[in-house]
């Protein structure tokens, strides 16, 4: 019997083996998009959409600038809504405080410069040397020094003064209608107003009782505003306030010193009432 080559036990050829087959997966297969791992798809935007979004952002920023920021920071109210919301008054107070701070910084800088010049030993030495040179020049020219005191002139005989008629007594002023006193801590401010009609007159007198205050005399009402007078580092003031229009007219004081200041205000005249804290 002839042996088949595949039957040879000692043959080097590998015996045939049956290939194992797997059944197909019955689950539905989803097709994945052809993009690499880690890639992020963006949202498509048209040029027109980007332009509209940019213009919308600019319009919103401009509205915030005009309606809120300019009135509250600089007192600039182009639409009139800032005063209704109270933002314009806030901006005007801020600008007033900024102006006061700038003026005070300038005064302090000038005082510091003057103190530095007066205390400079080199400058004092130069002045002494200049004075000595002037004295030497005067001595060389033979100029006699001034006598310590000149002889007094003979007084003429006294003449009896002519009799002077007594001046008529001034009419007595009415008593003060209102009087208030407040103590302001450093950097603290206060506002007191008189409710007046147009052309009304009110007399006033206020004193810082030995200290000083910054003040701003102004009025407002009916959409109008006016500044009558301002002062920095004033110990007191008296005078007459004439209302330019119907509304509230009075003063704003601020203590810019390093210690508490007690001030007193007295008023009388044509006003309906005083408004104070």
């Amino acid at each position: 019997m002839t042996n088949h080559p595949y039957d040879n036990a000692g043959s080097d050829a590998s015996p045939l083996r049956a290939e194992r087959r797997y059944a197909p997966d019955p689950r539905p297969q989803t097709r994945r998009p052809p993009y690499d791992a880690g890639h992020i798809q963006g949202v498509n935007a048209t040029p027109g959409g980007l332009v509209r979004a940019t213009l919308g952002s600019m319009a919103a920023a401009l509205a915030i600038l005009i309606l809120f920021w300019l009135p509250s920071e600089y007192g600039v109210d182009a639409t009139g809504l800032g005063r209704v919301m109270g933002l314009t008054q806030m901006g005007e107070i801020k600008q007033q405080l900024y102006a006061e701070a700038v003026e005070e910084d300038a005064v302090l800088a000038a005082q510091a410069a003057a103190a530095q010049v007066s205390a400079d030993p080199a400058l004092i030495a130069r002045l002494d040397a200049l004075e000595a040179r002037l004295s030497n020049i005067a001595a060389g020219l033979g100029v006699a020094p001034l006598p310590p005191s000149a002889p007094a002139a003979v007084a003429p005989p006294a003449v009896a003064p002519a009799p002077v008629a007594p001046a008529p007594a001034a009419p007595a002023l009415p008593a003060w209608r209102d009087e208030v006193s407040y103590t302001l801590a450093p950097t603290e401010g206060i506002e007191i107003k008189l409710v007046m009609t147009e052309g009304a007159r009110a007399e006033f007198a206020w004193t810082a009782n030995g200290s000083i205050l910054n003040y701003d005399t102004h009025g407002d009402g009916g959409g109008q505003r006016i500044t009558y007078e301002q002062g920095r580092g004033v110990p007191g003031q008296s005078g007459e306030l004439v209302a330019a229009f119907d509304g509230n007219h009075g003063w704003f004081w601020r203590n810019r010193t390093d210690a508490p200041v007690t001030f007193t205000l007295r008023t009388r005249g044509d006003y309906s009432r005083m408004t104070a804290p």
Side-chain angles (χ1 to χ4, degrees):
M1 180 177 180
T2 305
N3 296 328
H4 196 278
Y6 295 107
D7 293 337
N8 296 332
S11 176
D12 295 335
S14 300
L16 294 176
R17 296 180 181 177
E19 182 179 359
R20 187 175 180 178
R21 298 178 178 272
Y22 295 93
D25 191 352
R27 294 176 297 179
Q29 301 293 324
T30 58
R31 185 175 182 182
R32 296 182 179 180
Y35 58 83
D36 298 334
H39 177 73
I40 300 176
Q41 288 184 327
V43 178
N44 295 327
T46 62
L50 293 176
V51 171
R52 287 192 296 272
T54 302
L55 293 179
S57 300
M58 292 176 61
L62 184 61
I64 294 174
L65 176 68
I66 296 176
L67 296 178
F68 301 101
W69 193 75
L70 287 178
S72 63
E73 291 295 329
Y74 297 97
V76 178
D77 188 8
T79 62
L81 294 177
R83 189 168 296 279
V84 175
M85 295 183 291
L87 299 177
T88 305
Q89 294 86 335
M90 183 189 306
E92 292 172 349
I93 293 176
K94 287 183 179 180
Q95 292 303 309
Q96 179 182 350
L97 295 178
Y98 294 155
E100 291 180 1
V102 171
E103 292 181 4
E104 290 175 2
D105 291 343
V107 171
L108 293 176
Q111 293 176 351
Q116 183 177 4
V117 170
S118 62
D120 189 359
L123 181 59
I124 295 175
R126 291 178 61 184
L127 292 175
D128 292 341
L130 180 60
E131 184 178 357
R133 292 180 61 184
L134 291 176
S135 300
N136 294 334
I137 293 174
L141 294 176
V143 178
L146 292 175
S149 60
V154 178
V159 179
V164 179
L173 295 176
W176 294 109
R177 175 177 169 183
D178 292 295
E179 179 176 344
V180 292
S181 295
Y182 293 93
T183 300
L184 301 181
T187 72
E188 185 179 3
I190 190 174
E191 186 175 47
I192 299 178
K193 295 288 188 66
L194 304 178
V195 180
M196 307 172 67
T197 59
E198 181 178 356
R201 298 174 178 271
E203 296 182 51
F204 68 91
W206 66 266
T207 176
N209 296 310
S211 186
I212 56 175
L213 290 171
N214 295 355
Y215 74 92
D216 181 350
T217 308
H218 60 278
D220 59 78
Q224 302 182 75
R225 184 175 179 86
I226 185 174
T227 298
Y228 296 108
E229 189 178 4
Q230 293 179 336
R232 303 288 181 269
V234 180
Q237 186 190 32
S238 62
E240 187 178 54
L241 180 60
V242 181
F245 47 80
D246 295 351
N248 302 315
H249 304 266
W251 306 264
F252 177 81
W253 292 274
R254 185 174 295 279
N255 177 15
R256 286 295 184 181
T257 67
D258 297 331
V261 175
T262 300
F263 79 97
T264 303
L265 170 66
R266 300 179 179 90
T267 59
R268 62 189 169 207
D270 300 330
Y271 62 91
S272 60
R273 69 180 187 277
M274 173 187 289
T275 60

